[in-house]
Amino acid sequence: MQPDSWSDWDVRNRCVSVSLVVLLVAGALATPAAAAPSMYLSNANVQESTVLVGENATVTARVKNLGDESGGFTFEFKRNGSEFASQRVVVAADESVRVSQTVAFSSPGTYRISVNDRQAGLVDVQRATAAVQSTDDVQRTVEVRAGSVPTNEPYTLDFPDAANRSFAVETWTVQTGEASYTQQIVEYTDPAAATVAVPSGRSATVASVFTVDSTADVERATVRFSLNRSRLRAVGLEQSEVTVYHRNGSAWEPLETEIVEERVSSVVYEATATDFSTFAVGRIEPEFTVEDTSLGTSQVESGQRLVLEAVVRNNGSVAGDYEGAMVVDGERVNETTVSIPAESERTLRLSHDVDSAGTYEIALNDEDAGSIVITEGQVADDTSAATDTESTDSQSTPGETPATGDGPDIPLPAGVPATVMGIDTVYLAGGIGVALVVFFGLVLVLRRGGGGNDSGGFDQL
């Protein structure tokens, strides 16, 4: 066959025709594609980076429809690669939809959260957390939240680092009967900023204060804290003098405090408490004053007893033991110890026996209490009385005539009547005299009445 011979005009016409056909076919194919929905997962994130066991974390995600027609989209929420929830939404053309989904955790650990194939974030799940709520130059507030702590043993929390603070709690070990609770610990680097009155004056040196507020009934808690050496120098405390005191009403009670670590710039202490409110860190001592003294004497077998009574007051904010010594003529002769609560007073009594006359100077410790004069008569009378009392046990009562006549006559003191068988001797002698007069008078009468009659009268009598 002879091939056709095309002119240039025919070639151009045929090329234009083919091009139109191609454009028509491409347009027909492109029209349905442009009209379909086109979904794009724009973002996915988890709002909380740290939660407690049993608490929820919130996951959010957004999808945008880039197409010209509405369509459906399914959000698949995954935890460590395993789907835990899904949501189906319809998205209009050129619109976006945002969804949220919560997820809970039953055990501690680190979990990877994703939506479809997009990473949302990591969640650290803990039994308890401690986070700083507020801070400034004089205070720092740390909130402790527990979600699944043991109820029969202590649980220790590390506090956030507190660099460049003169006082900071580092660890907090708590034992309660509750698995979940909230506590707020406020650290005061300046004691004057505390909301309670802090002991001051010559008997108290406080370096810092912290308070504890809890929703749970705390059975026992151990606090470990650091105190800068510069702060110790500023308040004039040696590191061995630091004690933690718990506020109980208006008084402060010392807690057993020990040094657990010595660092270059700070000292770390530890103390355990069973009651919780406000705690002071430093040194608080009792402050004793003698309010009143009185002196007296009393008779004793060996002579005289010197008695010293004193009212002692504790003006300090902490209870203490007052050691009182009775000093007689410069010599400590007796001493006692009495425990006096804070802002209270007690009376103590001391005594000392003497057996000789003289003037005795009395003091309570270094405070002069006065003098007592003992006379010879006081000592002699006491000795005589004691001797007489002892002699009556083996001899007759003083003033009585001895029952036997063998011994020497015992003179009676003037004005003390003698008695025989309980009868006054004066009356007894008078009665005998009267009886004798009556007897002899009767004899005379009988003799005269008988005359010369030898057979009657007295002879007959």
Side-chain angles (χ1 to χ4, degrees):
M1 174 179 287
Q2 183 69 32
D4 294 334
S5 178
W6 292 347
S7 65
D8 293 338
W9 175 257
D10 292 334
V11 172
R12 287 195 297 270
N13 286 338
R14 290 179 181 273
C15 288
V16 170
S17 299
V18 172
S19 297
L20 289 173
V21 172
V22 171
L23 289 173
L24 290 173
V25 173
L29 295 175
T31 299
S38 177
M39 302 298 177
Y40 171 67
L41 188 62
S42 59
N43 63 62
N45 64 78
V46 59
Q47 295 182 2
E48 297 84 6
S49 61
T50 302
V51 297
L52 302 179
V53 173
E55 289 185 340
N56 290 331
T58 302
V59 185
T60 61
R62 183 186 299 272
V63 64
K64 183 175 178 61
N65 185 358
L66 301 177
D68 295 330
E69 187 176 296
S70 64
F73 183 81
T74 300
F75 292 92
E76 297 175 351
F77 298 91
K78 300 177 182 179
R79 176 179 51 201
N80 287 347
S82 299
E83 183 177 322
F84 62 86
S86 65
Q87 293 187 37
R88 178 74 177 174
V89 297
V90 175
V91 187
D94 200 28
E95 295 291 335
S96 62
V97 173
R98 181 177 179 272
V99 298
S100 297
Q101 177 68 46
T102 59
V103 55
F105 307 90
S106 59
S107 59
T110 300
Y111 295 83
R112 185 181 72 258
I113 306 300
S114 60
V115 181
N116 295 68
D117 293 328
R118 191 178 187 91
Q119 183 81 10
L122 298 176
V123 179
D124 184 20
V125 181
Q126 302 178 5
R127 294 188 182 278
T129 63
V132 176
Q133 298 298 304
S134 64
T135 183
D136 56 34
D137 292 339
V138 298
Q139 66 88 27
R140 182 177 78 150
T141 301
V142 179
E143 185 180 69
V144 174
R145 294 188 307 114
S148 179
V149 297
T151 58
N152 57 354
E153 62 183 18
Y155 186 81
T156 299
L157 275 168
D158 292 328
F159 270 37
D161 185 40
N164 301 322
R165 300 191 69 86
S166 62
F167 169 82
V169 175
E170 296 192 350
T171 64
W172 181 245
T173 303
V174 182
Q175 181 172 346
T176 76
E178 302 178 32
S180 61
Y181 53 81
T182 300
Q183 296 175 338
Q184 190 177 70
I185 292 87
V186 183
E187 308 164 348
Y188 295 94
T189 54
D190 181 5
T195 57
V196 299
V198 178
S200 59
R202 63 184 181 90
S203 62
T205 302
V206 178
S208 57
V209 175
F210 66 96
T211 61
V212 179
D213 185 23
S214 177
T215 61
D217 184 13
V218 181
E219 299 173 2
R220 181 184 180 91
T222 299
V223 58
R224 178 173 291 193
F225 60 90
S226 61
L227 193 60
N228 279 6
R229 295 186 184 275
S230 59
R231 179 61 178 167
L232 291 173
R233 290 191 295 269
V235 298
L237 284 175
E238 298 291 336
Q239 68 176 40
S240 59
E241 295 179 310
V242 173
T243 300
V244 177
Y245 299 85
H246 170 246
R247 184 171 180 264
N248 185 3
S250 61
W252 296 78
E253 300 172 347
L255 304 178
E256 185 175 347
T257 308
E258 62 176 338
I259 297 174
V260 294
E261 185 180 354
E262 295 186 36
R263 299 171 182 167
V264 174
S265 60
S266 64
V267 182
V268 181
Y269 299 87
E270 187 175 272
T272 299
T274 55
D275 291 315
F276 302 89
S277 58
T278 302
F279 298 85
V281 178
R283 182 187 64 217
I284 305 176
E285 298 177 332
E287 185 178 336
F288 299 116
T289 58
V290 179
E291 300 291 308
D292 186 31
T293 59
S294 61
L295 300 175
T297 62
S298 63
Q299 179 182 328
V300 294
E301 182 177 344
S302 60
Q304 289 288 317
R305 175 164 292 168
L306 311 179
V307 179
L308 166 64
E309 287 191 353
V311 177
V312 181
R313 180 171 180 80
N314 179 9
N315 295 308
S317 300
V318 63
D321 293 333
Y322 177 80
E323 297 179 357
M326 182 179 185
V327 181
V328 178
D329 292 341
E331 180 183 356
R332 295 169 67 98
V333 296
N334 198 357
E335 56 188 24
T336 187
T337 300
V338 58
S339 180
I340 307 178
E343 299 181 2
S344 302
E345 60 183 33
R346 293 289 185 268
T347 299
L348 59 87
R349 188 176 189 272
L350 293 164
S351 63
H352 176 62
D353 295 347
V354 296
D355 57 4
S356 60
T359 299
Y360 295 91
E361 299 293 336
I362 313 296
L364 178 61
N365 294 336
D366 296 329
E367 297 197 27
D368 182 26
S371 61
I372 297 178
V373 178
I374 303 297
T375 65
E376 292 285 356
Q378 285 178 296
V379 177
D381 288 345
D382 293 340
T383 304
S384 174
T387 303
D388 290 342
T389 302
E390 292 175 356
S391 65
T392 58
D393 294 336
S394 58
Q395 300 180 20
S396 61
T397 304
E400 290 185 352
T401 303
T404 62
D406 297 331
D409 294 335
I410 300 176
L412 297 175
V416 180
T419 60
V420 176
M421 298 181 65
I423 304 175
D424 195 315
T425 55
V426 175
Y427 298 113
L428 182 61
I432 294 174
V434 172
L436 291 175
V437 170
V438 173
F439 176 78
F440 286 112
L442 181 58
V443 170
L444 291 175
V445 171
L446 292 176
R447 288 183 64 85
R448 289 178 182 178
N453 189 358
D454 295 336
S455 62
F458 181 75
D459 295 336
Q460 293 181 352
L461 183 65

